[in-house]
Amino acid sequence: MDSYYLSIGDLSIGIYEACLVFSIYLLAGFVKSFSGFGFPLVAVPLVSFIFPSHIAVACSLIPIFISNLFQAFVFRAGRHEIRQAIPLIIGLSVSLI
C-alpha cells in the first residue's frame, strides 16, 4: 500500500483527490463569502465527480455546518429581524410536511 493513500473501508483517497476536494471547498467557500449562500450548491456536485454522491454529501456536511456557524456568528446583530420572518418560517415548515 502506498503511503500517499488513505483507506477508509472500501474508499481509497489519494493525495491528488484530497487536494482536489480541498480546492473545491475553497471555491465553494469563496462563492458563499461572495453571495452569502451556495456552498452546498457548488461543493456537492463537484465533489460528486470524484466520489459517489452519498460520500460527497457526507464529506460536505462538516464544512457546510462550520461555514453556517461562522456566518451566524458574524451576522448575529441581525437576529432581531428574525421575528419578522417567523410567519414565513412557520408556513414553509408546514408546507414541507
Side-chain angles (χ1 to χ4, degrees):
M1 177 175 204
D2 196 7
S3 63
Y4 295 114
Y5 281 88
L6 172 67
S7 293
I8 302 171
D10 293 335
L11 181 67
S12 181
I13 303 170
I15 191 74
Y16 175 74
E17 289 91 0
C19 289
L20 196 56
V21 169
F22 182 74
S23 300
I24 290 170
Y25 286 155
L26 282 178
L27 174 68
F30 176 74
V31 169
K32 182 168 181 161
S33 68
F34 182 71
S35 65
F37 68 97
F39 189 97
L41 296 174
V42 174
V44 173
L46 292 178
V47 174
S48 293
F49 284 122
I50 302 167
F51 300 118
S53 58
H54 65 281
I55 293 175
V57 170
C59 291
S60 299
L61 288 177
I62 292 174
I64 291 168
F65 183 71
I66 290 171
S67 67
N68 286 341
L69 282 179
F70 178 75
Q71 190 174 15
F73 179 75
V74 169
F75 296 107
R76 68 184 180 278
R79 69 180 178 269
H80 64 277
E81 296 171 358
I82 207 82
R83 289 187 198 124
Q84 297 172 347
I86 287 177
L88 177 66
I89 294 170
I90 291 171
L92 288 173
S93 300
V94 170
S95 69
L96 288 175
I97 297 174

